[in-house]
Amino acid sequence: MANFDDLKLSAEALSGGKNTVLLDDLGMPSIMVRIPKFYLDEVIDGAPHTPHPAFIVNGVEKDEIYISKYQNVVVNDRAYSLPYKDPKVYITFDQALLYCYNKGNGWHLMSNAEWAALALSCKKKGFMPRGNNSYGKDYSATYERGVVTYRYESGGIWYDGRVATGSGPVSWAHDNTNEGIFDLNGNVWEWVSGLRLNNGEIQIIENNNAAILNTDHSAGSVAWRAILQDGTLMAPGTADTLKIDNTTAGDSTATSHDIGGDLRINTLVENPMYVPGGQVDYGYSTSTLETIAAATGVTIPTLLKALGLFPLDASHGGDAVYARNYGERLPLRGGCWSNTCDAGVFALHLDYARSRSYFNFGFRCAYVA
């Protein structure tokens, strides 16, 4: 334990208190970044002076949250934030959730509220982190590279894929410093908690209650809440809750394909992307976050902007949002090594089932005392 105490003191001293080392129930360390509480009006013009939802857990304001500095690895069924590791992949949403809750009270899968808080903070400060979004390098700064940990062959050509956690330059950290959170743009997509799309209806777990140990994220959980146009949370299925719709009609083609059109927020699913519906992965639609609009007559609450689900303006880096408005869809954030300009802190997949795993799906844990 003395060695970990020394490591903690060193991390805090070298980072000016921005980084620390937290131990889990097995006494194993993770390198974490402290994010102090901030208010909605500090990141969203015209928003009320209330804490961002990421800093409210079970009705109690938190002065700080801790986010994994690195995409996580898994040891003994627990998630760890460690540098220069090949991040854990081939993981489902429920496995990611379990590996974080296994660490003990306060530990949890990084929530969408926490992710959105960081993304809005980046935008407000005028720095959008780059990352491994172009086969080991950043597409817009190709001289920026990480240490490759995974290569693969496709069509007779070998490609660089994942890079070691935190092995890129400081511009791959959320605040453009060595003390920041690395790889929020690219490398591997990251499951986040507290948000889902269920037959097109946007559902959340209130504030940052996903951080509460063993919060029920199952399909039938009563913790899921739908959102009205004024931001009020209601039982799923309530009339006039907010949904992800599309500007063009879907079809019945039973292959995965982009149906075209643009994503929009509506109170009805007027255009299901796969007409028969069900838990299948066929028609989807994609837009950049900044081009998502509200259907005529629909009011967007501040909450949707605070959760990174609706643009503040026309400048969010061109990050892509993918959705299927049928079946249950759990969120992935950030992009992967092959997404180029589609990757970024506002990038979002809301088109996969919780059981989906792939060689570019990972995660990271967070902690709230």
Side-chain angles (χ1 to χ4, degrees):
M1 189 63 71
N3 288 339
F4 288 145
D5 289 343
D6 290 343
L7 177 62
K8 179 182 177 73
L9 287 172
S10 297
E12 293 177 353
L14 290 171
S15 67
K18 294 178 180 176
N19 294 177
T20 190
V21 177
L22 297 180
L23 306 182
D24 64 9
D25 65 325
L26 296 182
M28 298 299 292
S30 283
I31 312 296
M32 308 296 288
V33 178
R34 175 178 176 270
I35 304 296
K37 178 174 64 180
F38 59 81
Y39 294 82
L40 286 176
D41 57 346
E42 295 180 83
V43 291
I44 302 174
D45 292 343
H49 186 67
T50 56
H52 188 281
F55 300 96
I56 303 173
V57 179
N58 204 20
V60 177
E61 286 188 28
K62 301 293 182 178
D63 291 334
E64 56 202 5
I65 55 178
Y66 292 87
I67 307 297
S68 285
K69 187 175 179 71
Y70 308 108
Q71 292 176 333
N72 282 186
V73 297
V74 173
V75 180
N76 294 325
D77 291 340
R78 285 162 176 78
Y80 293 101
S81 167
L82 299 170
Y84 279 77
K85 302 292 184 184
D86 186 27
K88 173 68 176 176
V89 291
Y90 285 113
I91 186 168
T92 69
F93 173 81
D94 288 325
Q95 288 171 330
L97 203 63
L98 179 65
Y99 292 152
C100 297
Y101 284 146
N102 278 351
K103 293 169 69 67
N105 194 39
W107 292 98
H108 57 281
L109 176 63
M110 185 179 181
S111 68
N112 182 70
E114 291 167 334
W115 186 288
L118 289 178
L120 291 170
S121 175
C122 290
K123 176 174 168 54
K124 188 65 177 181
K125 292 174 181 175
F127 176 73
M128 298 297 230
R130 297 189 288 271
N132 173 21
N133 48 45
S134 183
Y135 305 97
K137 58 187 181 300
D138 184 89
Y139 84 99
S140 65
T142 55
Y143 51 86
E144 294 184 354
R145 293 178 174 271
V147 176
V148 176
T149 55
Y150 172 77
R151 303 190 76 229
Y152 64 104
E153 183 270 337
S154 178
I157 299 174
W158 281 89
Y159 296 91
D160 290 341
R162 300 186 298 270
V163 300
T165 55
S167 65
V170 295
S171 57
W172 293 15
H174 86 289
D175 61 354
N176 202 21
T177 76
N178 271 323
E179 290 73 45
I181 300 164
F182 277 80
D183 303 323
L184 293 174
N185 178 335
N187 209 26
V188 295
W189 286 96
E190 299 184 33
W191 290 113
V192 293
S193 60
L195 167 70
R196 73 172 177 177
L197 199 61
N198 199 30
N199 291 320
E201 185 177 59
I202 299 168
Q203 297 179 7
I204 64 171
I205 292 177
E206 187 173 10
N207 292 319
N208 201 12
N209 290 353
I212 300 170
L213 184 64
N214 294 327
T215 294
D216 186 1
H217 282 71
S218 66
S221 170
V222 296
W224 293 115
R225 308 290 286 171
I227 306 170
L228 292 176
Q229 295 179 68
D230 64 359
T232 303
L233 300 187
M234 302 295 291
T238 300
D240 297 327
T241 56
L242 296 174
K243 300 168 180 73
I244 290 187
D245 194 18
N246 203 52
T247 56
T248 60
D251 54 42
S252 300
T253 303
T255 59
S256 179
H257 63 289
D258 186 348
I259 64 166
D262 293 313
L263 300 173
R264 65 178 179 182
I265 303 299
N266 202 347
T267 53
L268 298 169
V269 177
E270 295 180 356
N271 291 314
M273 297 163 192
Y274 177 61
V275 175
Q279 196 63 55
V280 291
D281 292 347
Y282 297 144
Y284 67 89
S285 186
T286 181
S287 300
T288 61
L289 178 65
E290 45 266 77
T291 58
I292 295 177
T296 302
V298 173
T299 300
I300 301 299
T302 299
L303 178 58
L304 232 56
K305 300 175 181 177
L307 296 178
L309 301 175
F310 195 83
L312 309 186
D313 52 36
S315 178
H316 286 75
D319 300 350
V321 177
Y322 305 82
R324 287 187 168 100
N325 59 6
Y326 54 95
E328 186 198 40
R329 310 293 170 180
L330 279 298
L332 292 140
R333 284 287 192 177
C336 77
W337 69 78
S338 62
N339 287 120
T340 62
C341 61
D342 288 346
V345 292
F346 287 102
L348 172 63
H349 261 299
L350 268 173
D351 55 339
Y352 289 125
R354 64 175 63 228
S355 58
R356 186 72 174 261
S357 72
Y358 205 47
F359 70 163
N360 58 12
F361 287 8
F363 74 112
R364 75 177 74 210
C365 63
Y367 179 83
V368 179

